[in-house]
Amino acid sequence: MQNDYRDLGFLRRLKRALANGYRNKRFGTNLHPSTKLGVVFAYFSPGFRNLLDAERRCIPFGGRGHRLLDVGCGNGDFLLLASQAGWEVVGLEPDPKAAEAARNHGIDVRQDSIESLDPAIESFDGITLSHVIEHMHDPATALRHCYALLKPNGWIWIETPNVDAQGHESFGPSWRGLEPPRHLVLFNRPSLFDLLRKIGFAELEDLPYRPLCDYLFEESNKIAGELNDQSGCDTPSNLARKIAIAERRAKRNAGLREFVTVRAIKPAD
């Protein structure tokens, strides 16, 4: 890692040190190289700060005995980041190869579903589901089980494609967020918020905005070209204008963003 750092140019070395300085303060990590100026820089650069927060799903500090469950953890990259912030981590991952890759990092990963965990035996302070509920046949039942597994005042973090996204409106069946037949259920912001409230979650909040239209629109434009022999593609200049307009609107209105990203709390009472 140190050799990789030395191979970077000055600006990239500075950016890494600033980012690590913010990460260390925000998440309780001990990453190097770092500079405390990263905290000041992040304060005056909300876009930079939001990207770093999103990288770790805006999790709070961990602490002794604080447990975090990642449903659909893949190869465990996020759980490694969470463990650096002091969390005792557990993952669920149905894919055997991904689960084995995560276990090779020393992570407790179970190749099973959320329903396999017994709330009478174990509980968690936080649960994350990153692009998972859209793959479930019955996301409502899964989220109810998450609620049962959470300790009082525990939190859940969810990110999933937003069926009301501007990309969906613009590209229709070519929108990258649809992904048929892999995605079984798609939410918009009101429907996901309503479901969480019906289950019993409170203090629902949108997580800080981060730019996503660039990637989603470019991928959707490629799909449109493949489906229509390139005749359905936007030109680079038209696509750039679409992205710029969409990013401005998404920044102001969470209901139009490409993904719904929400955190909610299980009340103590």
Side-chain angles (χ1 to χ4, degrees), residues 73-77 79 97-109:
C73 69
N75 63 8
D77 283 349
L79 289 177
K97 291 185 178 179
E100 185 60 27
R103 292 191 194 104
N104 289 337
H105 292 299
I107 298 172
D108 177 5
V109 175

Side-chain angles (χ1 to χ4, degrees), residues 192-194 196-197 201-206 262-265:
L192 182 55
F193 276 48
D194 286 348
L196 290 169
R197 290 190 181 102
F201 286 102
E203 299 182 41
L204 278 66
E205 62 173 324
D206 297 297
V262 57
R263 182 169 54 205
I265 304 295

Side-chain angles (χ1 to χ4, degrees), residues 26-27 56-62 66-70 78-79 82 85 87-89 123-129 146-147 149-158 196 201-205 207 262-268:
R26 169 70 172 79
F27 300 104
R56 283 172 166 75
R57 303 180 187 174
C58 300
I59 59 174
F61 277 114
H66 286 199
R67 305 185 75 218
L68 184 147
L69 173 67
D70 186 23
F78 167 70
L79 289 177
W87 288 91
E88 179 184 326
V89 298
S123 59
F124 298 91
D125 299 275
I127 298 177
T128 63
L129 301 94
C146 288
Y147 187 90
L149 288 165
L150 280 171
K151 299 175 185 178
N153 293 319
W155 52 268
I156 190 169
W157 177 100
I158 301 170
L196 290 169
F201 286 102
E203 299 182 41
L204 278 66
E205 62 173 324
L207 276 297
V262 57
R263 182 169 54 205
I265 304 295
K266 177 179 179 177

Side-chain angles (χ1 to χ4, degrees), residues 82-258:
S83 65
Q84 291 173 356
W87 288 91
E88 179 184 326
V89 298
V90 177
L92 292 175
E93 176 52 52
D95 182 82
K97 291 185 178 179
E100 185 60 27
R103 292 191 194 104
N104 289 337
H105 292 299
I107 298 172
D108 177 5
V109 175
R110 298 123 187 233
Q111 197 179 325
D112 219 327
S113 68
I114 185 70
E115 290 81 9
S116 69
L117 301 184
D118 186 351
I121 297 174
E122 58 185 333
S123 59
F124 298 91
D125 299 275
I127 298 177
T128 63
L129 301 94
S130 178
H131 295 268
V132 169
I133 61 173
E134 63 267 25
H135 297 277
M136 294 176 167
H137 287 90
D138 188 356
T141 296
L143 292 176
R144 289 189 189 97
H145 206 77
C146 288
Y147 187 90
L149 288 165
L150 280 171
K151 299 175 185 178
N153 293 319
W155 52 268
I156 190 169
W157 177 100
I158 301 170
E159 184 167 87
T160 189
N162 176 17
V163 75
D164 284 347
Q166 296 173 92
H168 189 202
E169 180 182 6
S170 181
F171 292 96
S174 300
W175 180 52
R176 178 68 170 77
L178 292 178
E179 289 193 43
R182 296 177 65 247
H183 289 178
L184 305 176
V185 180
L186 289 179
F187 291 87
N188 60 11
R189 181 179 178 275
S191 63
L192 182 55
F193 276 48
D194 286 348
L195 175 58
L196 290 169
R197 290 190 181 102
K198 287 176 182 176
I199 290 170
F201 286 102
E203 299 182 41
L204 278 66
E205 62 173 324
D206 297 297
L207 276 297
Y209 167 80
R210 71 189 194 278
L212 287 169
C213 295
D214 197 341
Y215 170 73
L216 269 297
F217 276 47
E218 287 182 359
E219 290 296 304
S220 300
N221 200 44
K222 290 177 185 176
I223 295 171
E226 292 168 359
L227 293 178
N228 301 289
D229 295 325
Q230 305 307 314
S231 62
C233 278
D234 279 310
T235 64
S237 59
N238 284 342
L239 185 62
R241 280 196 295 272
K242 274 188 178 181
I243 292 170
I245 293 169
E247 292 289 13
R248 288 196 295 270
R249 294 182 69 200
K251 191 172 185 178
R252 296 192 300 266
N253 187 344
L256 298 178
R257 294 173 187 172
E258 298 302 292

